[in-house]
Amino acid sequence: MNPYMDKNLCHKNTLPISLEEMSEHGWDQVDVVFVTGDAYVDHPSFAASLLGRWLEAHGIRVAILSQPDWKSCDAWRKFGKPRLCFAVSAGNMDSMVNHYTANRKIRNVDAYTAGGKIGMRPDRATAVYCQRAREAFPGVPVLAGGLEASLRRLAHYDYWSDKVRRSVLLDSKADLLLFGMGELSLLEVIRRLDAGTAVEEIRDIPGTAYRLGASEFLEKEGEESRIRMEALPESVVILPSVEEVQAEKASFAAMTKQIYDELNPWSGRPLFQQCGTEAVVVNPPGRPLSTEEMDAIYSLPFTRREHPSYGEEKVPALQIVQDSVQAVRGCYGGCAFCAIAAHEGKQIQCRSQESIVSEIATIASDTHFSGTITDIGGPTANMYGTGCTNAEARRACKRTSCLYPEVCGNLDTSHEAYLGVLRAARGVANVRNVFIASGIRTDLARKSPEFLQELVEHHVGGHLKVAPEHSVARVLACMRKPTIDDFDAFTVEFEEAAEKAEKNVYTVPYFIASHPGCDLEAMLELAVYLHNNGYRPQQVQDYLPAPFAISTCMYYTGLDPMTGEEVYVPRGDRERRLQRALLQYYKPENYHAVRDVLERLGREDLMGDGVECLIRSYPPAENGAKPERARAEGGGYRQRSREENAQREQRAMQRITQRERWGRERDREESPEKRSSDRYAKRQFNHRPERRWEDRQERRWDDRPREGREGRREDHRNDHRRDFRNDDRREDRGGNREFRRESRGDFRPDHRRDNRRDHREGDRGGRWENRRENYRGNDRDNNRGNDRGNRWENRREEKPFSRDDRPPRRNFDDRPPRREWQERRPRQDDSGNTDRPAPRQWDADSTDRRSVSTWRPRREEPRREGFRRDDRRDDSRREGRRDDFRRNDRPDFRQRRGDDSRFRSRDDRDSKPRERSDDWKPRERSGEWKPRERSGEWKPRENRDGSFRRKDGFRGKRFPGR
């Protein structure tokens, strides 16, 4: 344990992120301001929290500046001028990896931001944050650290800009760069600054890098300049300059090998790289932490929660690791595509069993604990307690991997220590399950059958993550991974252990597409391997060239930096897409891409209906087939991928946008200006357009031939009406159904506005060639407005409106009540007397006034003498209603008295006179009728409900006392 550490100095709550919280701690000034691109989460898995607590335990006042607004330096002045320095980090991830996918597309979620919001940090955040810190308080030392700074400490290939960039230390103008995990190096730098040492003099701490100006390392010899070796550290390694590695790819590969040869913290030498008139010096990596130091760091009082200022918004990354325990650091696997060894180191650093069990007990005592420890591990879980047994060989070793091409003889692969931790964790109170989610190395697990059996029985929740990555030997050699035979043997042993334990558990293998060395032939071999073994990978990783990795050097140079051999590199979006499609050959959307590859490689034998075929000889349904069930080895049902969900959301948004556009077009065409400019235009949704007397006259006296119009009205004013001359509306609406269809076509409307001839001839714009064969005729239930029996599903697809926007079906029994009877015109009886009809008799016991009436179809009959049909009514009052409703929706005025209020048929009314009471007498009129004279001030006439009608049509309630 570090002698300077005192946990009593730690505040029980979180570190301050505002002036108010700083005041609650009793501070008037802070010593160090941590600037981070992540949300502030007080959990040991987040670097800002862990390092902040570590410094706080050593008496340093630390404040957290989380995700500041980088567009100005005002946020950097929140806590005032820090006494010692700014400590800047982009966060737990490289900012470019955090923002963009392997296809250079912006990610939808930022896992290290509250609520998953994106855009809360800039690209290449380390350089931006350091510049703002220097602007806010010039002269205050700026320290750059974190994963982004660690992997970009020297010249590196940037995948997103596709070029070699110089060290981030030169771009950010930081005073020092700290790489690796940084607990020891950061604490030593802070102690020296606190002692009054200038930051320019702090250049000998392992795990740090610093800048040199031209005057510090260059001297002129005539017109040329040379490096003064005496100004550089002893035994320094001169790397190719930035200009050289940008110009020659072979120099970049040579530089990569030199960097990896000096990663041993005991035997590594300083590195020097020139960039113009500036240079960067990188000291050897810091020494690994001891078990006591690891225990001291992870025993700090973390709250393991987001900061309360985020409210209900959760940080997605915390939900994954909240109930997990980090037991190990470092990895000696040496995978070419991984840079963990360059950041954490190749040496394994472990916590004690007591420390791990104590943290699990703290987690289990939380009221929100679910009973499951999600993980006890690290970069590779089953490396806990393993390591090199030869101290002398370890200090001089330059191997990048202790497992490739074969397991080192000095490596202790015993799993006894890890099994002891797992057994002790299962015995903690309130803990029901202890799982391993960080993944294991199969080649190590096979060396301990006891661990494999106990793993299956207690520590696999259903799926165990393993990473064979590929099946082709030449590709696995580029990845520095064991052959696929090792994974097959592990799978057999795992299934045997699962059968013995009577557990239904599976392995979930991970594979990489488009890795250097992998061409289409190799990817096809992998697809055949997956098909033959029943695997259908749902999570596929496209290779992403992260900075500082060996595979990134292969991707940029086409050379293996360790052997100098040429390596095939898949470039271009098309080939990357084809490789991914081969890896997920079973998906319907990948059919054509897989078929293209099979035809290009001459492997038509893999297309067909045989069990050995990858795809069928014919494409799947275009409308999307149902997800097929994967085999048991594949891990259950196939779920929709993120790309499929994004496509579904995009299509939904397109439909919404199209619907809005159609709505705007509809409003524009329904405007009065549009109706006045196009006399014969039909309104959307089959509403009858506004009709003028001139239009009716023009159509009435039209002298064009009328062939094929038998059984239809000659009066074109009635073309938009419904014919009620027959009760059976399904068979006849104004003539024989079959004859009508043969003679003039369907009633199907055509929505083209300029087709006036078809509109005049009564065809409602319908053309014979536009009809559907499954037209279902004149069904009453399908009549909506002027649709003339056209079913909704038979309409053309290009009809610009949706199903929800169509008008409701008109029900002839649900008609609105007519106006007051006193508004009707008087009529004459046979004697010449006028009479107003009696009000309609409603059933007092009925709650529905319409239930006492029965609708009858109108019969065509000659007009009786003395009956006056009101043809001069204003059509504008019934916009959207048929003219025939004028007679059919009002009660018969010659209604029988008594309980039977049903209408009599017209035949009965013709043959039988209307019954009248004995005391009824017609009203006598004397002289000429004159309007009633009004005396005094005009008052509105009151209605039955106490309301009155004004001249402008306004209805209001009568006030009491009037």
Side-chain angles (χ1 to χ4, degrees):
M1 181 176 177
N2 194 298
Y4 297 97
M5 179 177 172
D6 185 3
K7 290 190 293 185
N8 295 327
L9 298 176
C10 294
H11 200 273
K12 295 183 179 179
N13 297 327
T14 59
L15 297 173
I17 66 171
S18 63
L19 289 175
E20 293 77 9
E21 295 182 10
M22 189 175 72
S23 301
E24 292 178 2
H25 284 66
W27 301 345
D28 56 353
Q29 187 182 16
V30 295
D31 299 330
V32 179
V33 175
F34 269 90
V35 184
T36 176
D38 294 340
Y40 176 42
V41 179
D42 195 31
H43 191 280
S45 296
F46 289 74
S49 176
L50 185 140
L51 294 175
R53 290 289 191 182
W54 171 254
L55 294 182
E56 185 188 28
H58 288 81
I60 306 298
R61 297 178 178 181
V62 179
I64 303 294
L65 183 59
S66 174
Q67 296 182 331
D69 183 8
W70 69 91
K71 297 179 178 61
S72 68
C73 61
D74 296 338
W76 277 255
R77 296 171 178 155
K78 178 192 297 186
F79 302 100
K81 184 178 180 179
R83 187 174 66 88
L84 298 179
C85 65
F86 282 101
V88 175
S89 170
N92 278 20
M93 291 180 64
D94 185 281
S95 60
M96 301 301 291
V97 178
N98 181 276
H99 282 174
Y100 304 98
T101 66
N103 296 323
R104 298 185 177 91
K105 296 181 180 179
I106 298 177
R107 298 186 187 272
N108 298 326
V109 176
D110 184 350
Y112 290 90
T113 302
K117 300 175 184 177
I118 62 175
M120 298 299 291
R121 76 190 81 196
D123 291 348
R124 302 179 178 88
T126 300
V128 178
Y129 289 164
C130 289
Q131 292 172 4
R132 292 292 179 263
R134 297 177 68 87
E135 292 177 13
F137 296 103
V140 175
V142 178
L143 312 180
L147 182 68
E148 179 174 286
S150 179
L151 300 184
R152 297 175 184 264
R153 58 184 181 262
L154 290 165
H156 56 280
Y157 171 72
D158 186 78
Y159 171 68
W160 296 270
S161 59
D162 194 20
K163 66 178 182 181
V164 176
R165 300 179 66 93
R166 62 180 186 172
S167 170
V168 70
L169 185 60
L170 301 178
D171 291 336
S172 63
K173 304 299 181 182
D175 297 288
L176 281 177
L177 185 149
L178 287 73
F179 61 90
M181 299 303 287
E183 291 92 352
L184 299 180
S185 58
L186 177 62
L187 180 61
E188 183 64 22
V189 170
I190 296 299
R191 287 182 56 207
R192 292 195 185 184
L193 290 175
D194 192 21
T197 305
V199 68
E200 293 82 5
E201 300 177 4
I202 305 176
R203 293 184 172 180
D204 59 341
I205 299 177
T208 61
Y210 57 91
R211 294 182 295 126
L212 291 177
S215 61
E216 296 181 88
F217 73 98
L218 289 178
E219 62 180 4
K220 288 189 177 181
E221 289 185 353
E223 296 181 357
E224 297 182 357
S225 299
R226 72 175 186 87
I227 300 174
R228 291 190 298 112
M229 298 301 297
E230 59 273 11
L232 302 181
E234 185 180 357
S235 68
V236 67
V237 177
I238 306 297
L239 300 177
S241 66
V242 175
E243 292 78 12
E244 291 176 1
V245 298
Q246 289 176 344
E248 298 181 5
K249 295 184 177 180
S251 298
F252 189 93
M255 178 195 69
T256 302
K257 186 177 186 305
Q258 288 178 309
I259 293 173
Y260 272 83
D261 287 344
E262 306 300 333
L263 289 182
N264 192 317
W266 292 284
S267 62
R269 296 173 293 177
L271 303 175
F272 171 86
Q273 187 174 45
Q274 183 180 356
C275 180
T277 59
E278 294 181 295
V280 174
V281 177
V282 179
N283 292 321
R287 67 172 178 83
L289 294 176
S290 64
T291 301
E292 292 76 13
E293 290 170 336
M294 289 276 289
D295 293 347
I297 291 174
Y298 286 94
S299 63
L300 295 173
F302 299 97
T303 62
R304 310 181 73 89
R305 292 285 186 274
E306 303 96 340
H307 192 271
S309 62
Y310 298 130
E312 298 297 328
E313 292 183 333
K314 302 298 182 181
V315 178
L318 176 62
Q319 312 309 312
I320 300 174
V321 301
Q322 185 167 11
D323 294 334
S324 66
V325 177
Q326 184 169 3
V328 61
R329 282 187 186 177
C331 180
Y332 50 74
C335 299
F337 50 82
C338 180
I340 289 180
H343 180 63
E344 295 187 10
K346 191 178 70 171
Q347 293 71 28
I348 299 301
Q349 307 158 62
C350 301
R351 297 170 58 185
S352 65
Q353 176 177 322
E354 294 76 11
S355 175
I356 296 173
V357 172
S358 175
E359 183 176 353
I360 293 175
T362 302
I363 297 174
S365 63
D366 193 340
T367 57
H368 301 283
F369 179 58
S370 62
T372 299
I373 299 296
T374 57
D375 186 25
I376 299 180
T380 303
N382 60 333
M383 285 186 181
Y384 179 91
T386 63
C388 185
T389 58
N390 190 335
E392 295 181 0
R394 179 179 57 190
R395 290 183 177 274
C397 180
K398 292 187 177 181
R399 289 183 59 172
T400 58
S401 173
C402 299
L403 301 177
Y404 180 85
E406 59 184 10
V407 179
C408 179
N410 296 324
L411 185 65
D412 178 17
T413 60
S414 174
H415 286 64
E416 290 298 326
Y418 192 45
L419 284 173
V421 170
L422 295 177
R423 292 164 183 165
R426 294 199 302 266
V428 177
N430 299 330
V431 174
R432 297 193 304 269
N433 302 308
V434 177
F435 294 146
I436 298 176
S438 54
I440 63 172
R441 286 282 300 212
T442 58
D443 45 1
L444 286 178
R446 290 183 58 208
K447 295 185 177 297
S448 176
E450 182 183 4
F451 167 74
L452 186 59
Q453 185 65 40
E454 196 161 336
L455 172 72
V456 172
E457 291 180 359
H458 301 287
H459 305 293
V460 179
H463 295 162
L464 177 67
K465 294 190 299 184
V466 291
E469 308 297 359
H470 215 281
S471 64
V472 180
R474 66 178 185 274
V475 181
L476 292 172
C478 294
M479 295 179 176
R480 309 294 192 268
K481 295 285 290 185
T483 62
I484 196 63
D485 297 334
D486 180 83
F487 170 71
D488 292 337
F490 172 81
T491 303
V492 173
E493 296 175 6
F494 183 85
E495 292 176 353
E496 291 176 354
E499 184 177 358
K500 181 179 180 180
E502 298 180 354
K503 291 283 188 177
N504 189 22
V505 293
Y506 309 97
T507 58
V508 179
Y510 283 80
F511 299 94
I512 295 180
S514 306
H515 190 276
C518 179
D519 52 9
L520 290 177
E521 293 182 358
M523 211 65 196
L524 181 58
E525 291 185 36
L526 176 58
V528 173
Y529 170 83
L530 296 175
H531 178 70
N532 294 337
N533 289 273
Y535 290 113
R536 291 192 171 185
Q538 301 177 17
Q539 297 180 356
V540 178
Q541 178 182 357
D542 287 333
Y543 171 67
L544 193 155
F548 219 85
I550 296 176
S551 296
T552 305
C553 177
M554 295 182 190
Y555 180 87
Y556 171 65
T557 63
L559 300 172
D560 188 333
M562 301 303 171
T563 62
E565 299 177 354
E566 293 187 0
V567 177
Y568 173 80
V569 178
R571 300 185 185 275
D573 296 337
R574 174 174 172 77
E575 184 168 359
R576 292 171 67 90
R577 180 177 59 84
L578 293 178
Q579 290 203 19
R580 183 184 181 93
L582 284 172
L583 200 53
Q584 295 179 319
Y585 63 91
Y586 58 88
K587 289 189 174 183
E589 59 268 24
N590 293 335
Y591 173 85
H592 296 286
V594 175
R595 186 184 182 98
D596 184 16
V597 175
L598 295 180
E599 292 176 351
R600 181 188 302 182
L601 300 179
R603 296 297 305 272
E604 289 82 358
D605 57 304
L606 296 177
M607 295 187 297
D609 298 331
V611 293
E612 73 283 355
C613 297
L614 292 180
I615 59 175
R616 296 183 181 273
S617 57
Y618 54 88
E622 295 182 358
N623 294 333
K626 294 182 179 180
E628 301 179 8
R629 181 172 182 174
R631 297 186 183 183
E633 295 84 356
Y637 289 92
R638 184 177 70 85
Q639 303 292 332
R640 284 197 302 270
S641 64
R642 178 177 296 180
E643 290 78 8
E644 291 175 322
N645 290 330
Q647 292 175 1
R648 290 164 63 91
E649 294 177 1
Q650 184 178 7
R651 288 194 296 267
M653 292 301 299
Q654 288 177 353
R655 288 195 296 269
I656 294 174
T657 305
Q658 185 76 351
R659 211 174 281 135
E660 293 177 353
R661 183 173 62 83
W662 286 337
R664 289 193 296 269
E665 293 178 358
R666 180 193 64 192
D667 297 339
R668 183 172 60 255
E669 295 201 2
E670 287 186 353
S671 62
E673 294 78 6
K674 178 65 177 177
R675 292 199 300 269
S676 61
S677 62
D678 190 354
R679 178 175 298 178
Y680 300 103
K682 289 164 50 177
R683 294 173 61 187
Q684 292 274 7
F685 313 117
N686 295 330
H687 287 315
R688 181 171 61 86
E690 183 179 355
R691 305 177 62 82
R692 293 189 177 90
W693 177 254
E694 296 81 8
D695 301 344
R696 295 199 294 266
Q697 289 296 324
E698 180 181 353
R699 298 179 61 189
R700 181 172 185 176
W701 304 112
D702 187 61
D703 56 353
R704 287 179 291 173
R706 313 205 179 271
E707 291 80 8
R709 300 177 58 82
E710 290 79 1
R712 304 197 65 209
R713 298 183 181 183
E714 295 297 325
D715 188 355
H716 292 275
R717 292 176 299 172
N718 298 327
D719 283 346
H720 66 284
R721 301 179 181 177
R722 181 175 179 178
D723 200 337
F724 302 110
R725 284 182 291 179
N726 194 313
D727 252 349
D728 191 0
R729 301 170 190 80
R730 299 181 62 87
E731 298 298 333
D732 192 357
R733 284 173 47 201
N736 181 270
R737 176 178 178 182
E738 287 74 15
F739 179 79
R740 261 202 339 270
R741 299 181 72 175
E742 294 177 0
S743 60
R744 60 161 189 83
D746 286 335
F747 289 105
R748 179 174 178 79
D750 191 346
H751 293 273
R752 288 172 291 186
R753 304 288 184 181
D754 57 348
N755 197 348
R756 298 188 178 185
R757 178 178 179 182
D758 295 336
H759 187 67
R760 289 179 180 179
E761 290 183 358
D763 197 16
R764 305 297 294 166
R767 291 181 177 274
W768 181 267
E769 59 271 16
N770 293 335
R771 289 193 302 120
R772 297 279 293 270
E773 294 180 2
N774 56 351
Y775 175 74
R776 298 186 60 178
N778 304 323
D779 191 342
R780 173 187 176 185
D781 295 334
N782 298 325
N783 282 281
R784 298 173 178 90
N786 294 329
D787 199 12
R788 304 294 290 175
N790 178 30
R791 292 183 64 83
W792 178 263
E793 58 271 17
N794 295 335
R795 299 188 183 185
R796 294 184 299 179
E797 295 181 359
E798 64 271 19
K799 194 168 184 179
F801 53 97
S802 65
R803 187 183 183 92
D804 298 334
D805 294 333
R806 60 181 176 174
R809 185 183 66 194
R810 187 177 293 281
N811 191 338
F812 297 103
D813 293 332
D814 295 337
R815 297 183 301 276
R818 295 290 294 179
R819 300 187 180 186
E820 298 295 337
W821 303 126
Q822 55 267 28
E823 296 182 8
R824 297 185 180 277
R825 296 172 59 87
R827 67 176 183 178
Q828 287 184 339
D829 56 10
D830 296 337
S831 62
N833 295 325
T834 58
D835 176 34
R836 286 189 179 274
R840 188 170 183 172
Q841 301 298 321
W842 306 109
D843 188 357
D845 298 333
S846 175
T847 58
D848 187 2
R849 304 196 319 178
R850 297 168 292 187
S851 62
V852 301
S853 63
T854 302
W855 176 84
R856 298 254 182 199
R858 191 185 66 166
R859 294 175 55 87
E860 289 294 332
E861 61 180 3
R863 297 183 181 178
R864 289 174 18 186
E865 187 176 353
F867 181 82
R868 303 182 68 180
R869 179 178 178 182
D870 184 7
D871 285 334
R872 293 174 294 177
R873 304 178 69 87
D874 186 7
D875 288 343
S876 63
R877 295 181 302 176
R878 293 182 308 281
E879 184 176 358
R881 298 177 56 197
R882 292 187 176 85
D883 293 343
D884 287 342
F885 290 166
R886 293 181 300 177
R887 297 180 61 186
N888 291 327
D889 62 351
R890 64 187 182 185
D892 195 338
F893 301 148
R894 293 175 291 185
Q895 181 179 350
R896 289 186 298 171
R897 309 298 182 181
D899 296 335
D900 187 6
S901 60
R902 299 178 60 186
F903 296 150
R904 290 178 297 173
S905 66
R906 293 184 181 272
D907 297 339
D908 295 339
R909 281 181 273 170
D910 293 343
S911 59
K912 189 175 182 179
R914 185 177 60 178
E915 298 180 2
R916 295 176 178 174
S917 58
D918 298 337
D919 57 349
W920 178 85
K921 293 182 180 181
R923 185 175 60 180
E924 298 181 359
R925 290 186 179 274
S926 59
E928 184 180 0
W929 178 84
K930 294 181 182 180
R932 185 178 62 180
E933 297 181 358
R934 297 185 180 275
S935 60
E937 184 182 359
W938 178 86
K939 295 182 180 180
R941 185 171 59 180
E942 297 178 355
N943 298 321
R944 296 177 181 177
D945 58 351
S947 63
F948 62 90
R949 183 186 296 275
R950 295 196 320 205
K951 290 183 178 181
D952 56 358
F954 174 80
R955 284 179 176 269
K957 286 292 184 180
R958 181 179 58 180
F959 293 97
R962 291 189 180 181

